[in-house]
Amino acid sequence: MAERSQTRMILRAALLCVAMLALAASSVAAALLLGGWAGTLVPLGIACATAAIVAVGFMEVPHLDAVSAISAALALALVAVLFGLTFTDELTRAHIPPGFGGMAPGEVSTE
Amino acid sequence: MPEALHEPFEDIASQRSAEQAGIWIFLASEAVFFGGLFLGYAVYRHRYPEAFAEALGETNLVLGSVNTALLLVSSATMALAVWAGRAGARRLTTAALVATLVLGLAFLGVKGVEYAEDIRHHLVPGHPDFPVDRLGAEMFFSFYWAMTGLHGLHMAIGLGIIGWTAHAVAQERIAWRETAHLHVVALYWNLVDMVWIFLFPLLYLVGRG
C-alpha cells in the first residue's frame, strides 16, 4: 500500500516535470523559429504556463489559506502597479516634444 | 524525535498555518524585489530593443537551456520530498532532498562555467573590448549579471537550507512529518525556480530568432 502510494507520488512528479521540460523545449524552438512580436510573446506565454504548473502543481496555490492567498495576491498587485505606472510614464514620455524639456527614449543629450 | 509543537501555538494545525503564512509573506516581498528588476529590464528593453536583441545573442543558449532543465527537474524532486514527507516516507524524502541538492549544485556549477566564458568573451559592462558596439547593449549585460547573480545567491541560500534539512530528516533531528518545514523550504525553492522560468526567455530567448 505504502509502496504503491510512493510510486504514485514519483509518477506525479515525473509527469509534471516532463510537461515543464516539454514547455521549455518548445519555448526554445519558438524563440529560434519565430521572429518579431511572436518571437517575444510566445516564449513569455510559455514561461507563464510553466510558472502556472509550478504554482498549482508544486506550490499548491489553489489550496492556500486566507492570509497566504492575500499575501500572494498583494505581491502580484504591487508588481502590476509598478509595471502599470512605470510604463504609463515610459510610453507617454515619447510623445513629449523635444522642445518641451523631454527627451525621446534612446535620444542622447548633445549638451 | 524532537517536539513538533512550539509556543505560542496550542495545536499543530495552527502552527502549520502560521508557518505557511510566514513564508508566503516572505515570498511576496521577494516577488516585489525581483519584480523591480524585471521592470527595469522591461523599460530598457523597450528603449533599446535592437541592442538588447543583439546582446542577447551573445549569451550561451545551450548552457542556459541545460540550467533550465536542471532547475525544472529540481523543482519536481523538491515537491516529491514534500509529498513523501507528508506520507512519512523518510528514505524517499531524504533521497528527493539529496537529488534536489545535487541538481541545484549542478546548476551553480554550469552557471560558473558560463560566467567564466562570459568573462573570457569580455561580456562585462564597461569592458574596453565589449563585443557589441550598440547603445544599450551594455545595459542588457548589467541586468544579466545583476539578475543571474541575485538568483544564484538565492539558490546558494536555498541549497544550504536543503542540505541541512536533508541531514536533519535523515538523522530525525526535526519533526519533519508534523510541521510545515518541508513545505516551507519547497515554497522558497519553487519561487527561485519561478524566477528562473522568466529569466530564461528574457536573457536567452526573446529576440534570438
Side-chain angles (χ1 to χ4, degrees):
Chain A
M1 182 67 186
E3 262 182 38
R4 202 191 301 168
S5 147
Q6 288 184 25
T7 307
R8 245 200 319 263
M9 282 175 213
I10 293 169
L11 282 176
R12 183 179 163 201
L15 192 71
L16 290 171
C17 183
V18 167
M20 291 193 301
L21 289 173
L23 283 171
S26 61
S27 74
V28 173
L32 292 175
L33 298 175
L34 302 174
W37 279 105
T40 299
L41 291 180
V42 173
L44 287 177
I46 292 172
C48 289
T50 312
I53 290 178
V54 173
V56 175
F58 298 154
M59 299 175 89
E60 301 169 351
V61 166
H63 306 292
L64 287 182
D65 59 29
V67 179
S68 305
I70 289 168
S71 303
L74 269 177
L76 288 178
L78 270 172
V79 172
V81 168
L82 263 174
F83 270 79
L85 290 179
T86 305
F87 269 93
T88 301
D89 173 57
E90 176 69 13
L91 295 172
T92 52
R93 191 171 290 209
H95 301 293
I96 299 172
F100 200 69
M103 283 202 312
E107 189 183 340
V108 181
S109 172
T110 52
E111 288 176 20
Chain B
M1 173 68 91
E3 187 67 38
L5 186 64
H6 298 286
E7 286 185 20
F9 300 102
E10 290 181 353
D11 59 87
I12 201 75
S14 309
Q15 180 178 302
R16 262 204 305 265
S17 176
E19 287 170 335
Q20 187 172 303
I23 188 68
W24 271 102
I25 290 168
F26 173 71
L27 295 187
S29 71
E30 287 283 279
V32 175
F33 170 70
F34 276 105
L37 285 169
F38 281 110
L39 173 64
Y41 175 97
V43 167
Y44 281 99
R45 174 132 207 156
H46 174 254
R47 287 192 182 186
Y48 308 109
E50 291 89 7
F52 266 52
E54 199 175 328
L56 181 143
E58 298 290 327
T59 56
N60 192 320
L61 179 59
V62 174
L63 294 183
S65 302
V66 168
N67 261 349
T68 303
L70 288 171
L71 210 51
L72 292 177
V73 177
S74 82
S75 220
T77 55
M78 190 68 231
L80 181 60
V82 177
W83 300 335
R86 283 177 189 156
R90 186 162 63 95
R91 283 183 63 186
L92 182 57
T93 305
T94 310
L97 285 170
V98 170
T100 309
L101 184 68
V102 170
L103 290 161
L105 287 172
F107 177 100
L108 288 183
V110 171
K111 198 73 213 151
V113 170
E114 193 182 350
Y115 276 166
E117 188 183 274
D118 293 336
I119 291 168
R120 258 200 320 277
H121 292 157
H122 313 303
L123 293 169
V124 181
H127 196 287
D129 297 324
F130 187 80
V132 185
D133 185 23
R134 198 188 266 268
L135 186 67
E138 292 185 57
M139 184 60 81
F140 172 87
F141 272 96
S142 296
F143 281 107
Y144 168 84
W145 287 99
M147 293 167 105
T148 57
L150 283 166
H151 177 262
L153 177 66
H154 279 75
M155 281 204 66
I157 293 167
L159 288 173
I161 296 168
I162 289 169
W164 178 83
T165 303
H167 177 72
V169 170
Q171 302 286 314
E172 296 271 9
R173 286 192 180 173
I174 54 170
W176 52 278
R177 289 183 188 87
E178 299 86 355
T179 65
H181 182 97
L182 288 169
H183 188 47
V184 164
V185 174
L187 283 171
Y188 174 81
W189 191 252
N190 290 144
L191 180 89
V192 171
D193 184 28
M194 213 180 263
V195 169
W196 183 262
I197 285 171
F198 287 102
L199 283 183
F200 178 55
L202 294 176
L203 299 177
Y204 296 88
L205 298 181
V206 170
R208 198 177 275 269

